[in-house]
Amino acid sequence: MRDLALTMSGVEAGYGGGLVLQGLNLELERGTVTCIVGPNGAGKSTVFRVISGLLKPRKGSVLFGGKEIGGLSPGEILRSGIAQVPQNRALFPEMTIHENVLLGGYAIRRDRTLLKERLAMVAEMVPMVVERAREHAGNLSGGQRRMVEIARALMLDPALVLMDEPSLGLDPKSVAKVAELVRTMATGGRTVLLIEQNVRLGMNLATQGVVMEQGQVRLTGDAAGIADNPEIATMYLGKARNPTT
Amino acid sequence: MIAKLKRPRVLVPIALLAVLAVLPFALPDSKYEQSVLIVCFLFAIMASGWNLISGLAGYISLGHSVYLGIGMYTGAILGKAWGIDPMWLIPLGAIAAAVVALVIGVIVLRTKSHAFVIITIAVLLSFQLLAANLKKITGGSDGLIVPQPSWAVDLGNMPYYYIFFAILLLTIVLVAVVMNSRLGAGLVAIRNDEGKAATIGINTTVYKVTAYVLSAIPFGAAGALYGQYLGFVNPLGAFAILTSVYLVLAALIGGRGTLWGPVLGGFIVAFANEFATTSSGGVSARVLIMGLILILTVMFLPAGLLPTISSRLARRRSKGSAVTFIDQAAIAEQHDEIPIGRLIARSKADVDRATPILEVRDIVKRFGGVTAVAGVSLTVERGSITGLIGPNGSGKTTLFNCMTGTFRPDSGRVLLDGADITGDKIWTRAHEGLGRTFQITRLFKSMTVLDNLVAPLERTSARQMAAGRYSGEEVERAREVLDFMGLAQFETQNAAALSFGQQKLVELAQVLMLRPGIILLDEPASGINPTLIGKLAHVIKRLNQEGTTVLIVEHNIPLVLSLCDHVHVLAGGQILISGTPEQVRNDPQVIEAYLGPDHMLEVPHA
Amino acid sequence: MEFVQVIAFGLLLGGVYALLASGVTLIFGVLDVVNVAQGAFLVFSALFTWQIWDMLGFEPLLLIPVNGALMFILGWAIYRGMVIRVAPQGPGMTVLLMFGVALTMEGILNLVFGNKFKSVTPPYFSSSLTIGELVLPWPQLISGVVGMAVLGLMYAYLRLSWAGRALRASAQNKDGAALVGISNVKTSAFAFGIGAATAGVGGVLLAIMYPIYPATQYDWIARLLGIVVLGGFGSIPGAIIGSMILGLTESFANTYLPQWSSLFFYGTILLILLFRPQGLMGTRTREDVA
């Protein structure tokens, strides 16, 4: 039997009158890095919003570690072991890097020894948070910011990490660093789910690939296969010129 | 429009005012009643005046009674100096109040800020201090005796009754005129969304300051008379914060933002105050009661009496009758035969047709340690449909915001028709012919679709502000534009009732009312269904055929490539390539920017 | 020497103001609410101090923790019971709500204490500390020093405690705070409590410096909000600088041009707003990189 970290089956969800996810099925195996790709509006971010509890699914189930999390609050989901690294600035700009990382452990603040252990663990995985502990988060470059965001998410030792476009706006060097960190996480038994717009880059970060289009999963498979699939380029850039009228 | 006069909401108040007009004659022996009603008039005048800045524009003033005090002192001081009835100084009281309001307004209302509400309190207290300390002029804290009227004593309070009544009527007329003017529409737009109001050409500073000055005028006028009515003025009485409380409460209870709400509220609060005085007496009890009423009103009746009642009535009326249902997907067929070109043609003199309509040079914009745009130069040729694309985080939205004026670039210049607009205000850009839409639509939700369309302004002028909301050719033009877009059926609907896609089309129609030379579209296709995307593409093409230049920032690459003549691709805050859609589609760099570099695949997984 | 004296006086006064204005700016920073009831909180605490001192006659400064806790609870309850419901209607309505709270409190205080000046006069009330030619009255000295000390403690608490971190996180980035599991509602209630508690402590300090009666709340709120406007909304360093400016202006004006001191201050505010609409230390709203 496969060891599944997360199972989404028949999930429908949307905003207002519209439905974005239309019967989505998704399975994530423990210890894998899966990347969701797809053109804008395919519903990638909505998948994240459903998993993290920001959007309640209208139909279908979301199982995490065998338990239904479909109706839980974002706080409950966070504590159950799903951490999120969002796309937009999520750091506290006027606080130091150390404080930002420390706040990642807000939910375990009463257990001082555990907090210390986690800080040590995170320091080992992301050394820059110790090296530059006293710098203010607002002055960091995009790549450094991303590392701090990931470090902060790791403070709760999550079993599943959701990362929304981790390579967004980063130079190749920083992307390589993020990729390295993602792999380290997976080696430690964590499951990682990424969203990437950039297909090949995403597949390079991941072991598994999922292609979404119009609220559904179009293709799944191992990352290399997805990256080479010629259909995807068409999905993104369109076919030969044909006026939409 | 005429039919509206027969509605109860117009007839009832007019009938009540008529009763008030004949009351002193109908009840000759009504000295007490008259004195109570005079206070009612005063409160109604103040609440209505306050309504102009705090109700319509949404800028709360907690010290507005300062203008009553200024009127009172103007009447008292000049009346004494010139030896005339302060009654004749009513216009001067109004002018004095207006001048002070102008100075305060220009300082505090330039930006959208919380400072306004606080400064209003400080101004009130400052004038209290001034009046107490400028002893030679104001008599210090003892105050001044105000010259009494020269009319026959046996007339009693009747002349006061009628003069206050007249000021009240004039105030109501003032508020009605403002509400039905472009100024009033602009103020409501500011209350809805000040940032958006600027993008459709509303000079928010001038509008807010004008509303503030107009709101002070009834106070000043009433003040000059009120001082004489009381017989003396002193700092604590003239500049009492409690007066501000009464008038805020009056407008709030009656319904701020409405014409009759503050008037009704003025009567209610004055009666309540009279009751509190005769039954319990003390000032402390009144402060307590007013405080409690204020809390309860804010918490349980935030919209005020009149709006709450009328929405209840409307709900009851619509019960039984079919509910008006808006088909959220429906858009009628576009009417291509409508000469949209004529409707939006802009006659701008002295522009060399060869000059690019929009050009940016060496734009740099940083946020903290992140350089979002790193020295971009590009041009948008006149008459083109130009696309600006790039992966997320490539800086295209930041660049877009530098063009529209939302951001000021750290360095570099933005040129419109060859003229530098880098430092221009957002509304100036709109006047110069730069229109924009928003990714998440920002229509004025409390207004109808038609009101949204007549709100844009092509210039700022006093005549235009005074013009009727529906005057001029704008309404006709708005209807034709709606018709062209296939939106005519929604004319009277509230913008908030439309679907997101419909709102996007309405927002484009709204921008067209500016007769823009260039329209900047911020992700027009995001969040709307494929059918609407098709309609949108069609509209964009039609507009372009009629000479409008369009710049599109968009994620939907197939749409951009099928629509545009020329595409700029941004990556990492810099221009990656500019060219035709065909060149862009086949450029290996673009493919790499979106799909990733080929060689990365060769890196083996760990 | 008079000059030094005036400056020392101004800075001591500024110390008290700094504590009070920090409370206002804290509430604004976290909740976007302009707390116009801070003056009423302050007067309430001062009159309570007078009442206890009048009845029991003991050292009023001992009431600092009591009043602080009392006002914390009051502030917390006002947020939970009222502000939280009105907040979705925007800052305009919360200002009106807090104005209503201020009036209600003034009315209650009027009924209980009457509309008369009350003075707390502990033994040191009319004595001074003399250092060379410098003469510092004990009440001013104690209030200024205690005010700054309490502000220092509060600042340290906000920096070093989890509650303080959560509060600052919530003020800087609400989404980010929610992401790490901070409840923005709880944090807001806490911030409101702390903001009110500064008025609780400040009320005791004012009681030994000035005679108090309920309607003086307007003077206080105008001063405190003026400081916040001057320093820039939401900025604690701004509030401290604004307080020192007010303290010094008042001290100089009291010495050289008595009666005009508040006017000088308001004039300064308008002058600064003319050139910096966002206040001295205020920043324009931060925009995200998109």
Side-chain angles (χ1 to χ4, degrees):
Chain A
M1 219 184 101
R2 292 192 301 157
D3 185 8
L4 291 179
L6 184 89
T7 315
M8 296 174 83
S9 38
V11 171
E12 290 187 6
Y15 315 92
L19 214 52
V20 180
L21 300 185
Q22 312 181 346
L24 178 105
N25 299 307
L26 183 69
E27 291 180 340
L28 303 182
E29 231 170 302
R30 196 175 306 281
T32 57
V33 181
T34 308
C35 179
I36 306 180
V37 295
N40 257 81
K44 303 183 299 263
S45 301
T46 310
V47 173
F48 271 24
R49 295 180 67 84
V50 168
I51 299 176
S52 59
L54 292 169
L55 185 68
K56 304 248 173 291
R58 293 186 194 157
K59 264 189 197 161
S61 79
V62 185
L63 294 178
F64 173 63
K67 271 185 290 183
E68 176 65 43
I69 57 164
L72 300 185
S73 75
E76 288 167 321
I77 289 176
L78 179 73
R79 267 169 269 140
S80 77
I82 300 180
Q84 205 186 161
V85 184
Q87 187 189 88
N88 297 324
R89 291 180 168 200
L91 295 180
F92 309 113
E94 283 146 55
M95 293 196 202
T96 62
I97 292 182
H98 174 72
E99 278 187 300
N100 267 284
V101 174
L102 193 61
L103 270 163
Y106 183 78
I108 51 162
R109 63 192 179 281
R110 299 196 201 289
D111 191 340
R112 288 196 170 195
T113 38
L114 183 62
L115 201 62
K116 257 188 193 154
E117 277 172 31
R118 292 281 171 79
L119 277 173
M121 176 194 87
V122 170
E124 199 179 313
M125 289 177 79
V126 194
M128 68 83 71
V129 301
V130 186
E131 289 153 14
R132 321 184 63 154
R134 302 224 156 270
E135 285 179 40
H136 277 237
N139 302 330
L140 297 181
S141 75
Q144 295 162 341
R145 225 173 251 183
R146 182 76 354 155
M147 298 304 269
V148 176
E149 280 165 358
I150 298 172
R152 193 176 72 178
L154 288 173
M155 281 296 288
L156 291 182
D157 196 17
L160 173 63
V161 182
L162 309 176
M163 300 172 84
D164 195 351
E165 302 221 30
S167 72
L168 183 70
L170 304 190
D171 57 284
K173 242 187 192 169
S174 307
V175 174
K177 278 189 183 164
V178 171
E180 195 189 316
L181 186 52
V182 167
R183 282 185 205 122
T184 318
M185 285 195 273
T187 328
R190 275 176 246 277
T191 311
V192 182
L193 182 61
L194 315 168
I195 290 178
E196 272 293 344
Q197 205 186 22
N198 187 316
V199 181
R200 291 186 187 137
L201 199 144
M203 292 310 147
N204 203 51
L205 292 172
T207 54
Q208 308 293 312
V210 173
V211 182
M212 280 185 72
E213 200 184 26
Q214 293 179 6
Q216 285 174 325
V217 172
R218 266 281 295 277
L219 287 169
T220 53
D222 63 48
I226 298 277
D228 286 339
N229 194 315
E231 256 189 83
I232 295 173
T234 326
M235 215 187 275
Y236 272 63
L237 298 179
K239 295 195 185 78
R241 181 164 188 150
N242 73 9
T244 336
T245 42
Chain B
M1 297 295 138
I2 304 293
K4 274 189 178 167
L5 284 175
K6 290 181 184 159
R7 289 188 186 164
R9 68 174 57 183
V10 180
L11 266 185
V12 172
I14 287 177
L16 288 175
L17 288 179
V19 171
L20 288 172
V22 297
L23 197 83
F25 290 104
L27 301 167
D29 201 21
S30 56
K31 242 186 173 162
Y32 169 71
E33 287 78 2
Q34 282 178 35
S35 71
V36 174
L37 283 170
I38 283 174
V39 178
C40 290
F41 293 159
L42 179 67
F43 282 15
I45 291 166
M46 293 194 292
S48 297
W50 183 85
N51 193 28
L52 287 174
I53 181 74
S54 303
L56 291 183
Y59 273 73
I60 304 281
S61 164
L62 290 182
H64 232 55
S65 57
V66 69
Y67 298 113
L68 184 77
I70 289 171
M72 288 169 81
Y73 269 99
T74 307
I77 294 166
L78 294 184
K80 206 168 210 172
W82 298 344
I84 51 171
D85 262 13
M87 197 180 76
W88 303 112
L89 295 169
I90 289 174
L92 281 180
I95 291 171
V99 169
V100 175
L102 181 66
V103 173
I104 305 290
V106 164
I107 295 175
V108 194
L109 285 168
R110 279 175 306 153
T111 52
K112 182 171 171 51
S113 157
H114 294 276
F116 177 73
V117 64
I118 290 162
I119 294 298
T120 59
I121 304 178
V123 167
L124 179 64
L125 296 180
S126 301
F127 271 88
Q128 214 179 67
L129 279 170
L130 268 180
N133 290 333
L134 291 173
K135 290 203 175 79
K136 278 195 186 134
I137 309 170
T138 64
S141 29
D142 296 335
L144 294 170
I145 304 286
V146 184
Q148 283 305 290
S150 45
W151 63 65
V153 181
D154 58 342
L155 280 175
N157 281 339
M158 240 209 322
Y160 285 119
Y161 182 94
Y162 278 109
I163 304 174
F164 272 115
F165 189 60
I167 296 176
L168 174 60
L169 291 182
L170 285 174
T171 307
I172 294 172
V173 170
L174 172 71
V175 176
V177 167
V178 169
M179 284 176 79
N180 288 309
S181 69
R182 302 222 154 214
L183 171 64
L187 294 174
V188 176
I190 288 171
R191 187 184 69 207
N192 269 269
D193 184 342
E194 192 165 341
K196 160 82 187 193
T199 69
I200 55 166
I202 295 174
N203 184 332
T204 52
T205 304
V206 166
Y207 271 55
K208 288 185 290 182
V209 173
T210 308
Y212 189 56
V213 170
L214 288 179
S215 78
I217 286 173
F219 282 73
L225 184 64
Y226 190 54
Q228 192 178 27
Y229 174 69
L230 290 181
F232 72 98
V233 292
N234 68 351
L236 283 176
F239 298 109
I241 198 149
L242 200 57
T243 314
S244 285
V245 176
Y246 287 141
L247 71 96
V248 168
L249 204 52
L252 208 57
I253 288 179
R256 77 215 141 96
T258 64
L259 177 61
W260 296 108
V263 179
L264 173 70
F267 279 76
I268 292 175
V269 171
F271 282 132
N273 183 44
E274 180 63 22
F275 177 76
T277 313
T278 47
S279 60
S280 68
V283 174
S284 16
R286 270 189 288 165
V287 172
L288 177 61
I289 292 169
M290 293 300 155
L292 284 174
I293 299 179
L294 185 53
I295 293 176
L296 292 175
T297 313
V298 169
M299 290 190 68
F300 301 108
L301 197 70
L305 275 175
L306 282 189
T308 310
I309 292 171
S310 70
S311 74
R312 287 264 164 86
L313 284 179
R315 218 176 303 152
R316 190 180 300 172
R317 224 175 292 137
S318 68
K319 230 184 241 175
S321 74
V323 183
T324 39
F325 176 75
I326 300 180
D327 181 354
Q328 303 243 308
I331 303 283
E333 272 309 304
Q334 284 129 357
H335 291 268
D336 279 347
E337 73 282 4
I338 291 176
I340 189 71
R342 178 177 59 73
L343 296 176
I344 61 171
R346 197 176 177 83
S347 49
K348 202 166 164 182
D350 305 334
V351 178
D352 178 8
R353 297 287 303 172
T355 319
I357 189 160
L358 185 68
E359 185 179 358
V360 299
R361 287 187 194 154
D362 307 316
I363 297 283
V364 176
K365 180 72 187 171
R366 293 184 201 89
F367 296 95
V370 180
T371 305
V373 178
V376 170
S377 302
L378 60 80
T379 57
V380 178
E381 296 302 330
R382 197 174 298 276
S384 68
I385 302 181
T386 300
L388 180 59
I389 62 172
N392 286 349
S394 60
K396 59 184 186 308
T397 304
T398 307
L399 181 63
F400 186 86
N401 282 325
C402 289
M403 294 175 181
T404 59
T406 311
F407 295 154
R408 188 74 39 101
D410 295 325
S411 66
R413 299 203 293 150
V414 182
L415 305 164
L416 182 70
D417 287 324
D420 193 335
I421 58 161
T422 321
D424 281 5
K425 300 275 189 204
I426 290 177
W427 54 79
T428 314
R429 291 170 200 241
H431 298 162
E432 295 296 320
L434 185 149
R436 73 161 294 182
T437 63
F438 291 86
Q439 183 187 351
I440 308 289
T441 57
R442 282 168 73 176
L443 291 172
F444 305 116
K445 298 270 163 64
S446 78
M447 297 188 187
T448 65
V449 168
L450 185 66
D451 280 341
N452 266 284
L453 255 75
V454 295
L457 300 174
E458 293 171 68
R459 74 197 90 86
T460 307
S461 74
R463 192 197 278 179
Q464 187 177 38
M465 280 161 87
R469 189 189 281 223
Y470 303 106
S471 70
E473 43 80 56
E474 273 86 357
V475 177
E476 267 325 296
R477 205 151 61 82
R479 291 211 169 99
E480 285 190 83
V481 169
L482 284 175
D483 219 16
F484 164 73
M485 303 274 279
L487 295 164
Q489 51 178 322
F490 303 123
E491 186 188 309
T492 57
Q493 295 292 350
N494 253 15
L498 303 184
S499 75
F500 186 65
Q502 289 163 344
Q503 289 188 25
K504 284 216 154 174
L505 288 176
V506 173
E507 193 168 68
L508 179 55
Q510 186 182 44
V511 171
L512 291 182
M513 293 299 291
L514 284 173
R515 303 184 215 252
I518 177 168
I519 306 178
L520 275 56
L521 299 171
D522 189 1
E523 305 213 9
S526 83
I528 68 177
N529 67 43
T531 329
L532 273 182
I533 293 181
K535 295 218 173 209
L536 193 75
H538 180 76
V539 170
I540 291 171
K541 282 192 171 163
R542 277 284 291 134
L543 293 174
N544 184 245
Q545 281 164 14
E546 300 292 345
T548 307
T549 310
V550 181
L551 175 69
I552 307 177
V553 172
E554 184 49 72
H555 267 121
N556 185 332
I557 315 280
L559 176 77
V560 172
L561 296 186
S562 71
L563 208 56
C564 294
D565 315 315
H566 196 85
V567 178
H568 300 285
V569 186
L570 240 59
Q574 287 172 320
I575 294 276
L576 193 65
I577 170 186
S578 298
T580 64
E582 241 11 79
Q583 287 171 326
V584 165
R585 193 196 316 276
N586 298 319
D587 189 281
Q589 290 185 80
V590 176
I591 295 174
E592 189 176 299
Y594 274 91
L595 301 180
D598 267 330
H599 66 267
M600 283 188 76
L601 290 172
E602 290 151 23
V603 181
H605 287 293
Chain C
M1 205 56 220
E2 187 181 61
F3 193 71
V4 179
Q5 172 98 21
V6 169
I7 288 184
F9 236 82
L11 293 178
L12 287 174
L13 207 54
V16 183
Y17 291 157
L19 174 65
L20 299 170
S22 301
V24 179
T25 213
L26 189 73
I27 290 177
F28 181 82
V30 179
L31 292 101
D32 213 14
V33 168
V34 180
N35 178 21
V36 288
Q38 187 84 344
F41 291 170
L42 192 61
V43 171
F44 175 61
S45 168
L47 287 172
F48 181 77
T49 308
W50 175 84
Q51 184 67 50
I52 302 292
W53 172 81
D54 193 47
M55 272 162 48
L56 307 176
F58 67 75
E59 174 52 53
L61 289 173
L62 294 176
L63 280 171
I64 284 178
V66 179
N67 284 17
L70 206 67
M71 294 308 293
F72 179 91
I73 295 169
L74 184 72
W76 186 89
I78 287 176
Y79 176 78
R80 280 284 168 146
M82 298 195 264
V83 178
I84 196 169
R85 287 184 209 196
V86 178
Q89 295 176 46
M93 288 305 263
T94 49
V95 161
L96 291 176
L97 174 74
M98 294 319 293
F99 197 45
V101 169
L103 293 172
T104 308
M105 287 180 74
E106 185 194 337
I108 293 172
L109 294 175
N110 262 331
L111 291 179
V112 176
F113 295 99
N115 216 343
K116 269 181 251 143
F117 280 108
K118 308 280 186 208
S119 301
V120 177
T121 50
Y124 48 80
F125 184 72
S126 46
S127 57
S128 309
L129 175 72
T130 313
I131 310 168
E133 286 178 60
L134 202 62
V135 182
L136 297 171
W138 277 111
Q140 263 76 4
L141 188 59
I142 292 173
S143 296
V145 170
V146 172
M148 282 184 266
V150 173
L151 179 60
L153 280 177
M154 186 177 97
Y155 198 71
Y157 181 69
L158 289 180
R159 288 223 82 81
L160 302 174
S161 74
W162 276 102
R165 269 184 213 120
L167 193 148
R168 283 183 296 135
S170 185
Q172 288 175 30
N173 186 341
K174 292 256 180 317
D175 293 337
L179 206 63
V180 297
I182 293 169
S183 153
N184 283 313
V185 169
K186 281 185 193 165
T187 309
S188 299
F190 179 72
F192 218 97
I194 293 279
T198 61
V201 174
V204 180
L205 304 180
L206 287 190
I208 60 170
M209 284 165 74
Y210 300 110
I212 299 281
Y213 74 100
T216 47
Q217 67 137 328
Y218 300 114
D219 296 330
W220 288 108
I221 197 57
R223 275 183 201 159
L224 297 183
L225 293 176
I227 289 169
V228 174
V229 170
L230 186 61
F233 273 98
S235 157
I236 289 189
I240 294 172
I241 292 174
S243 301
M244 294 304 163
I245 293 179
L246 173 60
L248 290 172
T249 325
E250 286 196 346
S251 179
F252 273 97
N254 279 336
T255 314
Y256 302 108
L257 272 172
Q259 312 207 321
W260 294 100
S261 62
S262 308
L263 275 179
F264 266 100
F265 181 57
Y266 298 141
T268 315
I269 295 174
L270 286 180
L271 204 67
I272 286 175
L273 284 183
L274 197 57
F275 298 104
R276 268 186 80 84
Q278 71 272 38
L280 286 174
M281 303 287 283
T283 45
R284 301 279 176 111
T285 331
R286 188 180 295 270
E287 312 268 0
D288 276 356
V289 186

